[in-house]
Structure formats: structure tokens, C-alpha cells
Amino acid sequence: MQESLTIFEDEIKNLLKEYFVEDDLKRLVFDSSHSLPNDDISAKISDLYKKQLDIRIEEASERLQIDRTITFAEKKLDSEKFFDFILELGTVCNNAGKLNLAQEIFNKVNRKTSDKNIKAKSLIGLADVCSRRANWTRSISLVTEAESIYKETNNKAGIANCFNLLGSISGEMGDIERAKTYFSQSLVFANESSEKQLNAKIETNLGVINSILGNTDEAVEHLESALIIYKESNDLKRVAESYLNIGLNFLQSDNRKSALAAFDKGIEISLDNQFISVLAVLYIAKSQLLIAQKEIYAAKEFADKALSLSHALDDKLSIAEIYKVRGIIAREMNDSQTAESYLMISLRINTKQRSSLGIAEASAEIASLYNEQGKYELSNNYYLQALDFYRKSNAKDKVIKIENLIRLVSTQLDTAEVQNEQ
């Protein structure tokens, strides 16, 4: 987890630089990797005590540093800047997967402020935390409360953020068409607010959703609109992410040349700027492309590197995707036992994370593996599971593809039964 801690610390330091002068920064050195002095006391206690004391202290030290930072900021910054800072701090914690810290920060803002728009922002932050925990009901309730405030204050950007988060929640729940509707509504309010970064974020989400739905041209249009905005603002991390999404869209439409060009641009930017989290997903994507090109050994190297980066970041859904890709690679290398193991791991993680599309994709790959092994009944069962989730997600192209595969498996199953009777 050390790499993950370093990324988190860098994000905090960058945020502090926006709000504090150099002298203040010297008093707020963020370092969660410190440890207690190593003296000879440990040699004098029993193995049982050592075992009982064997626990990592990163979260405790992070919490102490965050609490200290908030206390310092409250003294040094005026009220408006303090709440801007603390809300951004909560977002950094949330994006880094420090959900308990993020929840406490957003709750603190919600309790302390009397400003309606700031309160609404804290509710959006809390809703995002709940969404990441798959607590959809609570998340939607918080967004609805924030939306009511934003409508009362006629805050177009705030309303856009509400619809954007509702779109993300709908997507995570597997309702892709509803997600598209929310994102489209969000874009209308974002355009009225003239906030370009918000506009780019929503254009990206619309691009990804349209790609899932098979609307390739519409997806490219949205993704390239976002890319232009991110380039104008020199937001290189978002530029790299845009190339990732553009590449995935091209890959889905089997335009491998364009996909490769986009992935390589994203990888170059991410390597130059050490965007580890983006790089991990780009490696997964390039591995999938290399599989399609039958460059299996190269695909394995990219998948293995992506796995090591994702474990460092504790990114569960990326890990699930990598295990799916590694399962496909093992199948291509005729190692069916390893392929089955990896694909089942992917399915288990996606199920635990309640990722509908992840469940569907892993199930379809397992079905394909069993079909190749002549296990037609098992294959049919997993294809039916994939079909159920794709139907719930309104992924029409995927539904048609799986229905055709089910018909093929049913024919093979009937043929096998006739041969057995003979």
C-alpha cells in the first residue's frame, strides 16, 4: 500500500499549496509513513504480545494529520475559504478510497455551516461516499436533499452535479438508459452554469455511457469535447483519462488502430506525470487490445503490471477487470484450469462490489470457457446470467450477442444429448 499512500500524500500536499503560504506548509508536513522509534524494547516482549501489536497504523496517522490540518485551516482561513478547502479535502479522501475520513469531513461541514450551497455540497460529498459503498438508497436520498437546496438557490452547477451523480449511481446499479437520461439533463444545467470542468466531466460520462450502449459515433463526440476542455485547462490527468475512454470506445467498435493510438498517448502522459491509477487502467485496456491482436505474451505482461499497480491502489473493480483479462489470456494459452480460476475470482469481486456490467462480462467469459470445454449446460447457465444483467443494463448490442450465443449453445446441447442416447 506504500505507493497508494504516496499518491494520497501528494494529493494532500498539492491541495495545501493552493491555500497556504510556504511558512504555513512547513508546519503542516503530511507524512503518514512515519513509525515509532525502533529500539531494543521489542526484543524484550513475548511473541504473543508482538502478534497482538502487529497492526498497521497508516489510517490512525492519516486521521491525526487530517484532524491537525483541519484545525490549522480553521484558524488561518476565512470562513468561505475554509469550507472550500475542507470540501476539497473530503473529495481528495473520497477519491483515494479513504471513505471513513471523507464521511467525517463532509459531516463536519454539514454540521458547521449555515450556508445553503455549502451544505448542499457536503450532502453531495456524503452521497458520493454512500455510492462508493453501494448504499444506493441512502445516496439517492442525500442527492435529492441537495437538489432541493440547489433549486431553492437557483444554483445551476449544483443541480448539474446532482443529476451527474444520479447518473453515476444509475450506471453502477446497471440501469444504463436511465444513467444516460440523467447525464443528458446534467449537461443542460452545466451549459447554463458555464463551468467548463463540470461540463467536461459530464461529457466524459455521456461518452462512456454511449460507448456501453454501442453508440460509437455519439460516444466519440462527447469524449472529444471533454478532451478539448481538459487540454485547454492543461489538466493532464484528465487528458490521459480521456485518451483511455476514447481508446476503449474504438476497441469496442473493433477499430484497433485508433484504439492503440489513443492508449499509447494516455500511457505516455501517465508515465511522464506518474498518474499511477490512470496507468493501471490503461495497461488493462492495452492488454485487451493485445489479446484481440493475438499478442498473448505481451498482453500477459501488461495485465500483470496492471495487477501490481491496482493492488497498490486497492482498486477492487480494476482488480476484477484484470482477473477477467488474465482469465481470457489463460484460455488463449490453453490453460483452462487457470482460466476458470481467474474468471471466477473476477465474478466474485464484481458480485461483492455489485457491479452489474462486471458480473455480466465475467459470466459471459465463463460461459465461453465452458462452451469450449463441451460443458454446454454450465455454459448455458452462465450465458443466461450474463443476459439477465445485460437486459437490466439496457445494453442492447450485448443482449443480441448473448442471445445468439445461447441459441448456439442450445443447439450444441441438443446434439450432445442425441449422441449420448445413441
Side-chain angles (χ1 to χ4, degrees):
M1 291 294 293
Q2 189 57 49
E3 191 167 15
S4 175
L5 288 172
T6 303
I7 296 166
F8 179 55
E9 290 164 10
D10 286 345
E11 291 287 341
I12 296 290
K13 287 173 183 175
N14 288 335
L15 177 60
L16 291 172
K17 288 176 184 176
E18 293 179 22
Y19 286 86
F20 299 102
V21 297
E22 190 64 33
D23 287 344
D24 290 334
L25 290 175
K26 290 177 182 177
R27 299 171 59 187
L28 281 171
V29 177
F30 191 90
D31 181 8
S32 63
S33 62
H34 68 271
S35 57
L36 296 173
N38 185 21
D39 53 30
D40 63 348
I41 294 177
S42 63
K44 300 175 182 177
I45 62 176
S46 71
D47 290 339
L48 172 61
Y49 290 172
K50 289 177 184 177
K51 186 175 181 180
Q52 291 175 335
L53 292 167
D54 184 18
I55 184 170
R56 291 181 302 176
I57 62 167
E58 284 95 335
E59 185 175 344
S61 61
E62 286 169 3
R63 184 179 300 275
L64 286 170
Q65 186 64 50
I66 292 290
D67 288 343
R68 180 169 168 242
T69 300
I70 292 171
T71 300
F72 184 82
E74 198 164 8
K75 292 178 181 177
K76 295 289 293 186
L77 302 174
D78 62 47
S79 178
E80 184 178 349
K81 273 196 170 183
F82 169 70
F83 283 118
D84 285 343
F85 169 76
I86 196 173
L87 284 166
E88 288 193 54
L89 181 62
T91 300
V92 169
C93 291
N94 202 18
N95 291 339
K98 316 289 182 182
L99 300 185
N100 288 335
L101 286 172
Q103 184 173 0
E104 289 179 21
I105 289 170
F106 292 130
N107 273 325
K108 183 182 181 72
V109 174
N110 194 35
R111 287 194 309 269
K112 291 180 73 72
T113 187
S114 57
D115 184 289
K116 288 184 177 180
N117 282 314
I118 292 174
K119 184 177 285 289
K121 285 182 181 179
S122 71
L123 292 170
I124 290 292
L126 287 168
D128 196 8
V129 171
C130 290
S131 174
R132 290 168 190 257
R133 287 175 167 157
N135 187 349
W136 315 124
T137 303
R138 178 60 178 155
S139 185
I140 292 169
S141 175
L142 288 163
V143 176
T144 303
E145 189 178 347
E147 182 188 349
S148 177
I149 294 172
Y150 283 134
K151 284 181 176 178
E152 182 185 338
T153 57
N154 196 33
N155 186 324
K156 304 295 186 183
I159 296 170
N161 268 314
C162 289
F163 282 125
N164 184 60
L165 185 50
L166 287 171
S168 297
I169 293 167
S170 297
E172 290 293 335
M173 293 174 71
D175 193 338
I176 305 303
E177 287 288 358
R178 178 175 287 187
K180 182 180 178 181
T181 299
Y182 276 130
F183 289 139
S184 297
Q185 290 174 316
S186 178
L187 188 60
V188 171
F189 285 104
N191 286 333
E192 290 181 19
S193 75
S194 301
E195 289 195 13
K196 287 191 173 182
Q197 290 296 107
L198 174 59
N199 191 291
K201 181 167 68 173
I202 299 163
E203 291 276 16
T204 298
N205 287 336
L206 273 168
V208 172
I209 286 294
N210 276 290
S211 182
I212 292 170
L213 291 169
N215 305 328
T216 304
D217 293 340
E218 191 175 347
V220 169
E221 185 179 332
H222 287 296
L223 293 171
E224 289 187 343
S225 293
L227 179 60
I228 290 168
I229 295 171
Y230 289 136
K231 282 183 174 179
E232 286 175 351
S233 60
N234 199 35
D235 189 340
L236 294 179
K237 186 173 183 181
R238 299 288 179 256
V239 168
E241 289 174 345
S242 294
Y243 281 124
L244 164 67
N245 289 319
I246 290 169
L248 287 170
N249 184 62
F250 281 131
L251 182 59
Q252 180 160 303
S253 61
D254 208 32
N255 185 344
R256 297 175 195 170
K257 184 177 180 180
S258 296
L260 180 62
F263 292 151
D264 285 347
K265 284 180 184 177
I267 288 171
E268 181 182 358
I269 293 168
S270 298
L271 282 172
D272 288 345
N273 296 276
Q274 290 295 291
F275 299 145
I276 304 301
S277 58
V278 185
L279 195 59
V281 190
L282 278 159
Y283 283 160
I284 303 169
K286 184 155 185 177
S287 180
Q288 291 173 308
L289 174 62
L290 291 168
I291 292 170
Q293 295 182 165
K294 300 299 180 182
E295 298 179 51
I296 303 303
Y297 291 106
K300 184 177 183 301
E301 289 299 313
F302 275 94
D304 289 348
K305 189 64 175 178
L307 183 63
S308 66
L309 294 180
S310 294
H311 271 307
L313 296 164
D314 196 25
D315 184 342
K316 299 292 192 302
L317 290 179
S318 289
I319 292 170
E321 182 71 8
I322 295 165
Y323 274 113
K324 185 194 77 178
V325 171
R326 292 181 89 194
I328 296 169
I329 291 169
R331 190 178 73 214
E332 291 286 333
M333 297 175 74
N334 298 314
D335 186 352
S336 58
Q337 187 174 353
T338 301
E340 182 179 11
S341 175
Y342 283 155
L343 291 171
M344 286 296 184
I345 291 171
S346 176
L347 179 59
R348 176 178 55 78
I349 296 172
N350 277 306
T351 301
K352 188 173 182 180
Q353 297 297 311
R354 302 184 190 181
S355 172
S356 296
L357 285 173
I359 293 169
E361 289 173 1
S363 297
E365 293 298 339
I366 293 168
S368 179
L369 175 66
Y370 284 147
N371 185 42
E372 290 175 6
Q373 295 174 334
K375 300 176 181 178
Y376 301 124
E377 192 168 345
L378 276 173
S379 177
N380 187 65
N381 291 340
Y382 277 98
Y383 273 137
L384 286 171
Q385 179 169 291
L387 180 63
D388 181 49
F389 279 100
Y390 280 134
R391 278 177 174 162
K392 289 176 181 175
S393 301
N394 288 315
K396 295 173 185 175
D397 286 356
K398 299 285 188 182
V399 167
I400 293 169
K401 180 181 177 181
I402 298 297
E403 284 176 340
N404 289 333
L405 288 169
I406 289 172
R407 278 192 287 270
L408 179 61
V409 171
S410 295
T411 301
Q412 292 169 322
L413 185 56
D414 291 341
T415 303
E417 287 175 353
V418 170
Q419 290 174 345
N420 288 334
E421 288 174 3
Q422 293 174 348

mmCIF file of all heavy atoms in Angstrom, residues 165-193:
data_model
loop_
_atom_site.group_PDB
_atom_site.id
_atom_site.type_symbol
_atom_site.label_atom_id
_atom_site.label_comp_id
_atom_site.label_asym_id
_atom_site.label_seq_id
_atom_site.Cartn_x
_atom_site.Cartn_y
_atom_site.Cartn_z
ATOM 1 N N LEU A 165 -24.389 12.857 -10.492
ATOM 2 C CA LEU A 165 -24.209 11.789 -9.512
ATOM 3 C C LEU A 165 -25.325 10.750 -9.620
ATOM 4 O O LEU A 165 -25.081 9.544 -9.505
ATOM 5 C CB LEU A 165 -24.148 12.367 -8.096
ATOM 6 C CG LEU A 165 -23.835 11.371 -6.964
ATOM 7 C CD1 LEU A 165 -22.611 10.524 -7.295
ATOM 8 C CD2 LEU A 165 -23.622 12.112 -5.651
ATOM 9 N N LEU A 166 -26.553 11.202 -9.872
ATOM 10 C CA LEU A 166 -27.657 10.258 -10.074
ATOM 11 C C LEU A 166 -27.391 9.384 -11.304
ATOM 12 O O LEU A 166 -27.733 8.194 -11.315
ATOM 13 C CB LEU A 166 -28.982 11.007 -10.235
ATOM 14 C CG LEU A 166 -29.570 11.628 -8.955
ATOM 15 C CD1 LEU A 166 -30.762 12.516 -9.292
ATOM 16 C CD2 LEU A 166 -29.978 10.546 -7.957
ATOM 17 N N GLY A 167 -26.772 9.971 -12.319
ATOM 18 C CA GLY A 167 -26.392 9.195 -13.495
ATOM 19 C C GLY A 167 -25.361 8.133 -13.161
ATOM 20 O O GLY A 167 -25.466 6.981 -13.596
ATOM 21 N N SER A 168 -24.373 8.523 -12.365
ATOM 22 C CA SER A 168 -23.338 7.568 -11.954
ATOM 23 C C SER A 168 -23.933 6.441 -11.128
ATOM 24 O O SER A 168 -23.580 5.265 -11.306
ATOM 25 C CB SER A 168 -22.247 8.284 -11.149
ATOM 26 O OG SER A 168 -21.583 9.246 -11.940
ATOM 27 N N ILE A 169 -24.837 6.781 -10.211
ATOM 28 C CA ILE A 169 -25.487 5.768 -9.376
ATOM 29 C C ILE A 169 -26.304 4.809 -10.243
ATOM 30 O O ILE A 169 -26.231 3.581 -10.077
ATOM 31 C CB ILE A 169 -26.396 6.433 -8.318
ATOM 32 C CG1 ILE A 169 -25.546 7.216 -7.309
ATOM 33 C CG2 ILE A 169 -27.244 5.389 -7.592
ATOM 34 C CD1 ILE A 169 -26.360 8.145 -6.414
ATOM 35 N N SER A 170 -27.059 5.362 -11.191
ATOM 36 C CA SER A 170 -27.864 4.524 -12.086
ATOM 37 C C SER A 170 -26.973 3.582 -12.891
ATOM 38 O O SER A 170 -27.305 2.403 -13.086
ATOM 39 C CB SER A 170 -28.685 5.397 -13.034
ATOM 40 O OG SER A 170 -29.609 6.193 -12.319
ATOM 41 N N GLY A 171 -25.831 4.102 -13.359
ATOM 42 C CA GLY A 171 -24.893 3.271 -14.099
ATOM 43 C C GLY A 171 -24.352 2.143 -13.252
ATOM 44 O O GLY A 171 -24.265 0.989 -13.694
ATOM 45 N N GLU A 172 -23.974 2.444 -12.000
ATOM 46 C CA GLU A 172 -23.465 1.417 -11.096
ATOM 47 C C GLU A 172 -24.530 0.370 -10.784
ATOM 48 O O GLU A 172 -24.230 -0.803 -10.594
ATOM 49 C CB GLU A 172 -22.976 2.058 -9.788
ATOM 50 C CG GLU A 172 -21.714 2.886 -9.924
ATOM 51 C CD GLU A 172 -20.500 2.057 -10.275
ATOM 52 O OE1 GLU A 172 -20.484 0.845 -9.960
ATOM 53 O OE2 GLU A 172 -19.570 2.606 -10.889
ATOM 54 N N MET A 173 -25.789 0.808 -10.744
ATOM 55 C CA MET A 173 -26.891 -0.120 -10.469
ATOM 56 C C MET A 173 -27.275 -0.924 -11.711
ATOM 57 O O MET A 173 -28.091 -1.849 -11.639
ATOM 58 C CB MET A 173 -28.108 0.649 -9.956
ATOM 59 C CG MET A 173 -27.904 1.277 -8.587
ATOM 60 S SD MET A 173 -29.299 2.321 -8.075
ATOM 61 C CE MET A 173 -30.557 1.068 -7.747
ATOM 62 N N GLY A 174 -26.687 -0.562 -12.863
ATOM 63 C CA GLY A 174 -26.919 -1.324 -14.074
ATOM 64 C C GLY A 174 -27.989 -0.777 -14.985
ATOM 65 O O GLY A 174 -28.288 -1.364 -16.028
ATOM 66 N N ASP A 175 -28.590 0.381 -14.638
ATOM 67 C CA ASP A 175 -29.627 0.967 -15.486
ATOM 68 C C ASP A 175 -28.980 2.009 -16.392
ATOM 69 O O ASP A 175 -28.959 3.211 -16.091
ATOM 70 C CB ASP A 175 -30.727 1.598 -14.630
ATOM 71 C CG ASP A 175 -31.986 1.935 -15.426
ATOM 72 O OD1 ASP A 175 -31.859 2.075 -16.655
ATOM 73 O OD2 ASP A 175 -33.058 2.060 -14.828
ATOM 74 N N ILE A 176 -28.462 1.557 -17.525
ATOM 75 C CA ILE A 176 -27.655 2.405 -18.394
ATOM 76 C C ILE A 176 -28.485 3.482 -19.087
ATOM 77 O O ILE A 176 -28.055 4.630 -19.225
ATOM 78 C CB ILE A 176 -26.908 1.551 -19.439
ATOM 79 C CG1 ILE A 176 -26.083 0.457 -18.743
ATOM 80 C CG2 ILE A 176 -25.982 2.415 -20.279
ATOM 81 C CD1 ILE A 176 -25.080 0.961 -17.737
ATOM 82 N N GLU A 177 -29.683 3.138 -19.530
ATOM 83 C CA GLU A 177 -30.541 4.120 -20.193
ATOM 84 C C GLU A 177 -30.917 5.258 -19.244
ATOM 85 O O GLU A 177 -30.923 6.425 -19.626
ATOM 86 C CB GLU A 177 -31.812 3.444 -20.740
ATOM 87 C CG GLU A 177 -31.580 2.574 -21.963
ATOM 88 C CD GLU A 177 -31.298 3.381 -23.217
ATOM 89 O OE1 GLU A 177 -31.321 4.621 -23.152
ATOM 90 O OE2 GLU A 177 -31.044 2.752 -24.268
ATOM 91 N N ARG A 178 -31.235 4.913 -18.011
ATOM 92 C CA ARG A 178 -31.563 5.953 -17.025
ATOM 93 C C ARG A 178 -30.336 6.813 -16.742
ATOM 94 O O ARG A 178 -30.443 8.039 -16.596
ATOM 95 C CB ARG A 178 -32.078 5.324 -15.733
ATOM 96 C CG ARG A 178 -32.388 6.355 -14.657
ATOM 97 C CD ARG A 178 -33.011 5.732 -13.422
ATOM 98 N NE ARG A 178 -34.390 5.337 -13.676
ATOM 99 C CZ ARG A 178 -35.222 4.885 -12.729
ATOM 100 N NH1 ARG A 178 -34.799 4.766 -11.493
ATOM 101 N NH2 ARG A 178 -36.448 4.546 -13.034
ATOM 102 N N ALA A 179 -29.180 6.183 -16.684
ATOM 103 C CA ALA A 179 -27.935 6.936 -16.471
ATOM 104 C C ALA A 179 -27.742 7.956 -17.586
ATOM 105 O O ALA A 179 -27.399 9.119 -17.326
ATOM 106 C CB ALA A 179 -26.748 5.980 -16.417
ATOM 107 N N LYS A 180 -27.979 7.537 -18.831
ATOM 108 C CA LYS A 180 -27.829 8.447 -19.972
ATOM 109 C C LYS A 180 -28.791 9.636 -19.851
ATOM 110 O O LYS A 180 -28.417 10.783 -20.121
ATOM 111 C CB LYS A 180 -28.081 7.699 -21.284
ATOM 112 C CG LYS A 180 -27.887 8.583 -22.514
ATOM 113 C CD LYS A 180 -28.152 7.828 -23.808
ATOM 114 C CE LYS A 180 -27.999 8.756 -25.009
ATOM 115 N NZ LYS A 180 -28.280 8.075 -26.292
ATOM 116 N N THR A 181 -30.023 9.349 -19.430
ATOM 117 C CA THR A 181 -31.016 10.421 -19.268
ATOM 118 C C THR A 181 -30.555 11.436 -18.227
ATOM 119 O O THR A 181 -30.625 12.657 -18.446
ATOM 120 C CB THR A 181 -32.380 9.830 -18.845
ATOM 121 O OG1 THR A 181 -32.839 8.937 -19.864
ATOM 122 C CG2 THR A 181 -33.411 10.929 -18.642
ATOM 123 N N TYR A 182 -30.060 10.947 -17.096
ATOM 124 C CA TYR A 182 -29.577 11.850 -16.039
ATOM 125 C C TYR A 182 -28.385 12.676 -16.516
ATOM 126 O O TYR A 182 -28.312 13.893 -16.271
ATOM 127 C CB TYR A 182 -29.180 11.054 -14.798
ATOM 128 C CG TYR A 182 -30.329 10.720 -13.872
ATOM 129 C CD1 TYR A 182 -30.521 9.412 -13.425
ATOM 130 C CD2 TYR A 182 -31.202 11.709 -13.424
ATOM 131 C CE1 TYR A 182 -31.565 9.101 -12.557
ATOM 132 C CE2 TYR A 182 -32.243 11.407 -12.558
ATOM 133 C CZ TYR A 182 -32.423 10.098 -12.130
ATOM 134 O OH TYR A 182 -33.461 9.800 -11.276
ATOM 135 N N PHE A 183 -27.433 12.036 -17.212
ATOM 136 C CA PHE A 183 -26.260 12.761 -17.692
ATOM 137 C C PHE A 183 -26.660 13.835 -18.709
ATOM 138 O O PHE A 183 -26.092 14.927 -18.716
ATOM 139 C CB PHE A 183 -25.246 11.797 -18.319
ATOM 140 C CG PHE A 183 -24.532 10.917 -17.331
ATOM 141 C CD1 PHE A 183 -24.289 9.585 -17.608
ATOM 142 C CD2 PHE A 183 -24.096 11.423 -16.109
ATOM 143 C CE1 PHE A 183 -23.620 8.770 -16.710
ATOM 144 C CE2 PHE A 183 -23.439 10.612 -15.185
ATOM 145 C CZ PHE A 183 -23.198 9.290 -15.492
ATOM 146 N N SER A 184 -27.634 13.514 -19.564
ATOM 147 C CA SER A 184 -28.103 14.487 -20.558
ATOM 148 C C SER A 184 -28.746 15.692 -19.873
ATOM 149 O O SER A 184 -28.512 16.845 -20.259
ATOM 150 C CB SER A 184 -29.102 13.831 -21.515
ATOM 151 O OG SER A 184 -28.483 12.794 -22.252
ATOM 152 N N GLN A 185 -29.542 15.429 -18.834
ATOM 153 C CA GLN A 185 -30.143 16.523 -18.060
ATOM 154 C C GLN A 185 -29.063 17.339 -17.370
ATOM 155 O O GLN A 185 -29.117 18.575 -17.320
ATOM 156 C CB GLN A 185 -31.112 15.951 -17.019
ATOM 157 C CG GLN A 185 -32.381 15.352 -17.599
ATOM 158 C CD GLN A 185 -33.225 14.681 -16.533
ATOM 159 O OE1 GLN A 185 -32.728 13.958 -15.664
ATOM 160 N NE2 GLN A 185 -34.537 14.928 -16.569
ATOM 161 N N SER A 186 -28.067 16.648 -16.850
ATOM 162 C CA SER A 186 -26.965 17.312 -16.159
ATOM 163 C C SER A 186 -26.221 18.259 -17.090
ATOM 164 O O SER A 186 -25.863 19.375 -16.705
ATOM 165 C CB SER A 186 -26.003 16.254 -15.597
ATOM 166 O OG SER A 186 -24.906 16.853 -14.964
ATOM 167 N N LEU A 187 -26.005 17.811 -18.335
ATOM 168 C CA LEU A 187 -25.257 18.630 -19.298
ATOM 169 C C LEU A 187 -25.995 19.936 -19.624
ATOM 170 O O LEU A 187 -25.362 20.983 -19.802
ATOM 171 C CB LEU A 187 -25.016 17.829 -20.583
ATOM 172 C CG LEU A 187 -24.081 18.464 -21.606
ATOM 173 C CD1 LEU A 187 -22.702 18.699 -21.021
ATOM 174 C CD2 LEU A 187 -23.985 17.583 -22.858
ATOM 175 N N VAL A 188 -27.317 19.877 -19.668
ATOM 176 C CA VAL A 188 -28.117 21.082 -19.924
ATOM 177 C C VAL A 188 -27.848 22.136 -18.850
ATOM 178 O O VAL A 188 -27.584 23.299 -19.139
ATOM 179 C CB VAL A 188 -29.625 20.743 -19.973
ATOM 180 C CG1 VAL A 188 -30.452 22.031 -20.028
ATOM 181 C CG2 VAL A 188 -29.932 19.859 -21.176
ATOM 182 N N PHE A 189 -27.890 21.731 -17.580
ATOM 183 C CA PHE A 189 -27.648 22.665 -16.474
ATOM 184 C C PHE A 189 -26.187 23.094 -16.420
ATOM 185 O O PHE A 189 -25.881 24.245 -16.088
ATOM 186 C CB PHE A 189 -28.063 22.025 -15.147
ATOM 187 C CG PHE A 189 -29.545 21.959 -14.937
ATOM 188 C CD1 PHE A 189 -30.236 20.765 -15.087
ATOM 189 C CD2 PHE A 189 -30.264 23.095 -14.597
ATOM 190 C CE1 PHE A 189 -31.612 20.709 -14.899
ATOM 191 C CE2 PHE A 189 -31.627 23.059 -14.409
ATOM 192 C CZ PHE A 189 -32.311 21.852 -14.566
ATOM 193 N N ALA A 190 -25.268 22.196 -16.761
ATOM 194 C CA ALA A 190 -23.841 22.544 -16.765
ATOM 195 C C ALA A 190 -23.560 23.617 -17.811
ATOM 196 O O ALA A 190 -22.781 24.546 -17.570
ATOM 197 C CB ALA A 190 -23.001 21.297 -17.035
ATOM 198 N N ASN A 191 -24.179 23.501 -18.980
ATOM 199 C CA ASN A 191 -24.003 24.505 -20.032
ATOM 200 C C ASN A 191 -24.518 25.867 -19.582
ATOM 201 O O ASN A 191 -23.927 26.904 -19.893
ATOM 202 C CB ASN A 191 -24.728 24.068 -21.310
ATOM 203 C CG ASN A 191 -24.004 22.940 -22.026
ATOM 204 O OD1 ASN A 191 -22.792 22.805 -21.908
ATOM 205 N ND2 ASN A 191 -24.742 22.124 -22.771
ATOM 206 N N GLU A 192 -25.614 25.861 -18.828
ATOM 207 C CA GLU A 192 -26.171 27.122 -18.313
ATOM 208 C C GLU A 192 -25.274 27.733 -17.251
ATOM 209 O O GLU A 192 -25.254 28.942 -17.057
ATOM 210 C CB GLU A 192 -27.571 26.871 -17.741
ATOM 211 C CG GLU A 192 -28.628 26.550 -18.787
ATOM 212 C CD GLU A 192 -30.000 26.333 -18.175
ATOM 213 O OE1 GLU A 192 -30.217 26.764 -17.024
ATOM 214 O OE2 GLU A 192 -30.857 25.715 -18.836
ATOM 215 N N SER A 193 -24.513 26.900 -16.552
ATOM 216 C CA SER A 193 -23.661 27.395 -15.467
ATOM 217 C C SER A 193 -22.325 27.925 -15.981
ATOM 218 O O SER A 193 -21.622 28.639 -15.272
ATOM 219 C CB SER A 193 -23.386 26.276 -14.460
ATOM 220 O OG SER A 193 -22.436 25.356 -14.973
#
